[in-house]
Amino acid sequence: MTAELVRGQNHTLPQTRLEIRVSAGTPVVAGATLGDERGTVGGAERIVHPGSPQLPGLEVSQQAAADHRLAVDLEALPAGVHRVTVLLALPAVAGGPTRFGAVPAPFVAVTGLDGDEIATFTLTGLDAESAVSALELYRRQDAWKVRAVGQGYAGGLADMLADQGVNDAAGLAAAIQEAVTRGLARSVTPPPRTPGGDRVRHTAGPADQLPPTPPTAPEPPEPLADPATTAPPHPARSHPAPEPDGAGPATGGPIDYAHPRRQHAAPPSPPPAAPAAQPGQAAEPVAGDATGWSMDERLYNQIWGMFEDLARAVAAYRSAVDFAESRMDQELDRALSDPRNRIGGAGDRARDQARAKRDELASRAREALDRDLAQLAAEAAVVEPALPAAYAGWGNPVWHAHRVPMEIPMALRIGDLHLPERPDLRIPLLVRLPLERGIWVDSGRTASEAAASTDTGHLRRLAMESAVAHAARLLAVYPPGEFSVHVIDPAGSAAGPLAPLVEAGVLAGPPASGARGVAAVLTHLTRRVDLVQMAVRARAADSLPPDLDTGEQLLVVNDFPHGFDDRAVTQLRYLADEGPSVGVHLMMVADREEASAYGPVLDPLWRSLLRVTPVSDSHLADPWVGHAWTYEPPAVPPGSSVLEQALAAVAAARRAAGR
């Protein structure tokens, strides 16, 4: 089974004779460096590139191309080589793109000689970088592994080579680019293929001019993470792509940047929808009606589009109502500014006419809103049953047949969002994985009206049950052994809500209680963050202790700040600041008022966490259109054992994997 890697993830290589296939959608330079145990390269004799394409055990292409195949024989590498880093760079030629953010995301696959893929990696998230370390093959305990790197360099090849300890990196980078330019001058660009496979003949341009780069669809932002992001129009969510820097429309005919596994350089179009609707009739909604490489990505983009459409439709309605009220006030002011209209029936008629116009405008705006909301509700009714477990609510039947996956999903559902104009129209709130920030489950009674009307003890239990549900979801959607959960419960007050996790045996250890238990867990996770950070900075991941768990870690803290001294609070802040970048995340169950004694010291901690509530609450502000979205926590249906079933599946998958 192919392992689809994300940045930082590794995978064991089952063989030593390999091919590394690169598909970039635009001509790029491919090369590789040979490093020692610390990743240091040293001199040019340990680098393969278009000007020096061969070394023992390694061979690359002699020119820039949209597709590359690098031949690798790990057993034939020179003695002392412990790391092979695959490099990609944009050629420095006139008219070509100057940054990876303006071209399609490169795709790299490690395959056997038979062509079967072992691991793949798509280099997303690049922007101003013109060179990137794509992935590395490294030796650890007599076994070879592949790691997805995706480290970009805005300074280009020179900065990238210097980072690996190459002497005279700038001179070598210039020599590589010169060799690429010579190769382009010798080459003749083949005519592109049409979708049917026939060549398209077009007028030839200068031999050293790269073909224009097709635009790529931007990666969708996380809902509510940056509400100011421009959204595609409704109902046809086409997700227009930005024009690459310096690239214009093709002048010599269409160009097809083919991918070995995909038909287009940009994400494929959504699947065919239902037959075209008659004029005036709404189109039939279809699940996955968005762009994306996979169905999960299409559904993610579709949910984000539904969120934008709901925000835009309600914003238009509220704006129309405000305009109607403002117009009525202006007409009344004009009518009553004449003293003659203040006496008798003239003033009454003016008021009635102004109010009638206001009501008409508001009614027309409501009709338009109801029409849009009905279409979104129909779309939600189609999309919800089609969601994978990571995106689905606990009441979705997909959870009853859930099996722990072998790959990390794109995102995780942590609740629902809705607006008062249509409370039953719920939009899933998805956060990207791996988590980029921690979560704070607010157990305070001052958080909202619903919280204020709830008993303090009951609210704290609901908050901990919500945290357990979030943790269970994370455990269920990660591959076996790649996600661990630690719990700090200083007073042991959360034994009831924690029972599903404890009884399933999926925690990294028993819930820590007392000052000694709190200190032990915090010290353990702080040490892990320190070691991984040092290894990353020194490019010495192989030097990590063999017993160190490099999987993602989640620390659930109940009833903070009880049981925490000043040192423990400092460690907790350190984990909140530095942990997410190396896979350590926080989930705080706390009442901010109870921690007020620390004053502003904890303000950065609260700001770094995504605040959610155990009860319905309108606290998620949307500065894009000014809405206050109501958050609904994920609730397990009454009497359902779906959470216990999901945790049992996690435990069984771990036993099967020997974890």
Side-chain angles (χ1 to χ4, degrees):
M1 180 180 295
T2 303
E4 296 189 10
L5 305 179
V6 297
R7 186 175 281 106
Q9 190 177 5
N10 58 48
H11 183 73
T12 302
L13 295 172
Q15 57 202 73
T16 56
R17 299 188 65 188
L18 308 163
E19 266 192 355
I20 298 176
R21 301 182 179 184
V22 178
S23 181
T26 190
V28 297
V29 181
T33 61
L34 306 181
D36 57 18
E37 293 181 352
R38 297 190 176 185
T40 303
V41 176
E45 69 279 0
R46 288 295 181 96
I47 303 175
V48 286
H49 54 83
S52 177
Q54 289 184 335
L55 280 177
L58 192 58
E59 182 176 358
V60 302
S61 173
Q62 298 186 47
Q63 62 185 29
D67 298 301
H68 290 272
R69 292 193 178 190
L70 286 66
V72 182
D73 185 352
L74 297 174
E75 293 183 348
L77 294 174
V81 173
H82 287 258
R83 185 173 303 174
V84 179
T85 304
V86 178
L87 314 176
L88 302 178
L90 294 171
V93 296
T98 59
R99 60 187 185 93
F100 275 108
V103 301
F107 176 84
V108 184
V110 180
T111 73
L113 298 183
D114 55 1
D116 290 342
E117 291 183 346
I118 300 170
T120 63
F121 176 42
T122 302
L123 284 77
T124 58
L126 299 176
D127 186 12
E129 299 88 346
S130 59
V132 60
S133 296
L135 52 78
E136 60 184 16
L137 314 178
Y138 64 98
R139 191 204 310 263
R140 184 169 187 181
Q141 298 178 351
D142 297 327
W144 284 91
K145 296 185 176 183
V146 57
R147 178 187 290 115
V149 181
Q151 175 65 54
Y153 296 84
L157 271 172
D159 283 5
M160 181 166 55
L161 295 175
D163 191 43
Q164 297 189 34
V166 177
N167 300 321
D168 191 20
L172 179 57
I176 294 174
Q177 292 288 8
E178 183 180 354
V180 172
T181 303
R182 290 197 304 268
L184 288 171
R186 293 192 304 267
S187 66
V188 177
T189 304
R193 294 184 181 274
T194 64
D198 298 330
R199 294 277 185 181
V200 175
R201 303 185 183 277
H202 55 84
T203 57
D208 60 345
Q209 183 176 352
L210 292 178
T213 305
T216 179
E219 184 177 356
E222 175 184 312
L224 292 185
D226 185 9
T229 304
T230 302
H234 180 72
R237 303 189 188 105
S238 56
H239 296 273
E243 189 73 14
D245 291 353
T251 59
I255 293 179
D256 176 21
Y257 297 94
H259 188 287
R261 294 173 58 203
R262 299 166 183 156
Q263 296 179 353
H264 308 284
S269 301
Q278 298 296 324
Q281 179 182 357
E284 195 71 23
V286 177
D289 186 15
T291 58
W293 295 119
S294 64
M295 189 60 174
D296 285 3
E297 185 175 358
R298 290 176 177 177
L299 288 168
Y300 176 88
N301 292 345
Q302 186 172 13
I303 290 171
W304 172 238
M306 292 167 61
F307 167 80
E308 290 177 330
D309 290 342
L310 179 57
R312 187 179 289 109
V314 172
Y317 167 72
R318 293 180 180 178
S319 177
V321 171
D322 290 343
F323 171 76
E325 294 284 349
S326 175
R327 179 174 175 174
M328 181 188 70
D329 293 340
Q330 292 175 4
E331 291 181 351
L332 288 176
D333 289 341
R334 285 196 301 268
L336 299 179
S337 61
D338 186 350
R340 292 172 297 179
N341 293 334
R342 299 176 187 174
I343 302 174
D348 294 336
R349 286 193 299 272
R351 279 189 288 268
D352 292 341
Q353 290 174 358
R355 289 167 181 160
K357 290 180 181 179
R358 187 271 314 272
D359 294 342
E360 180 186 1
L361 290 174
S363 176
R364 286 162 54 188
R366 185 69 207 195
E367 288 177 3
L369 175 65
D370 289 341
R371 184 171 59 251
D372 290 342
L373 293 181
Q375 184 174 351
L376 282 170
E379 187 174 9
V382 172
V383 169
E384 188 70 36
L387 295 178
Y391 301 176
W394 285 115
N396 194 310
V398 70
W399 277 105
H400 295 283
H402 176 65
R403 296 293 181 269
V404 178
M406 299 304 295
E407 299 173 1
I408 302 173
M410 282 187 61
L412 182 77
R413 185 174 187 163
I414 62 168
D416 294 335
L417 299 173
H418 63 83
L419 292 170
E421 282 77 5
R422 183 72 183 267
D424 62 323
L425 178 55
R426 307 292 177 87
I427 306 296
L429 175 57
L430 304 180
V431 294
R432 295 296 296 265
L433 294 179
L435 293 172
E436 297 177 355
R437 58 192 299 199
I439 297 175
W440 165 29
V441 184
D442 192 349
S443 60
R445 294 189 64 204
T446 59
S448 65
E449 293 182 5
S453 61
T454 306
D455 176 72
T456 300
H458 182 56
L459 186 62
R460 290 182 176 177
R461 181 180 181 87
L462 289 177
M464 197 59 199
E465 289 176 350
S466 181
V468 169
H470 291 312
R473 274 179 167 269
L474 286 163
L475 286 167
V477 302
Y478 266 80
E482 293 192 17
F483 195 90
S484 300
V485 176
H486 307 261
V487 176
I488 288 179
D489 184 20
S493 59
L498 287 172
L501 295 175
V502 175
E503 293 172 0
V506 294
L507 293 178
S513 60
R516 180 174 299 180
V518 171
V521 172
L522 292 176
T523 301
H524 169 73
L525 292 177
T526 302
R527 172 178 174 271
R528 182 195 179 280
V529 171
D530 289 339
L531 290 175
V532 175
Q533 280 189 339
M534 288 188 292
V536 171
R537 291 167 183 165
R539 300 181 61 85
D542 296 343
S543 64
L544 288 171
D547 61 339
L548 185 72
D549 183 2
T550 57
E552 300 282 313
Q553 311 282 316
L554 175 70
L555 173 59
V556 180
V557 179
N558 179 46
D559 214 14
F560 177 81
H562 299 296
F564 281 74
D565 55 21
D566 290 345
R567 183 172 184 273
V569 170
T570 302
Q571 289 177 312
L572 196 67
R573 284 190 55 190
Y574 176 75
L575 292 178
D577 294 338
E578 305 294 335
S581 63
V582 291
V584 177
H585 313 282
L586 282 182
M587 184 177 294
M588 303 280 293
V589 180
D591 179 0
R592 186 171 182 174
E593 293 296 324
E594 294 184 354
S596 59
Y598 288 94
V601 173
L602 291 180
D603 287 348
L605 173 65
W606 305 120
R607 288 196 298 266
S608 69
L609 304 175
L610 172 62
R611 175 175 171 258
V612 297
T613 53
V615 293
S616 177
D617 183 28
S618 303
H619 70 277
L620 289 175
D622 182 354
W624 178 39
V625 288
H627 297 334
W629 291 83
T630 299
Y631 169 79
E632 294 284 349
V636 177
S640 173
S641 60
V642 62
L643 189 143
E644 289 77 9
Q645 292 175 8
L647 292 175
V650 172
R654 288 184 174 182
R655 289 192 297 269
R659 301 299 180 93

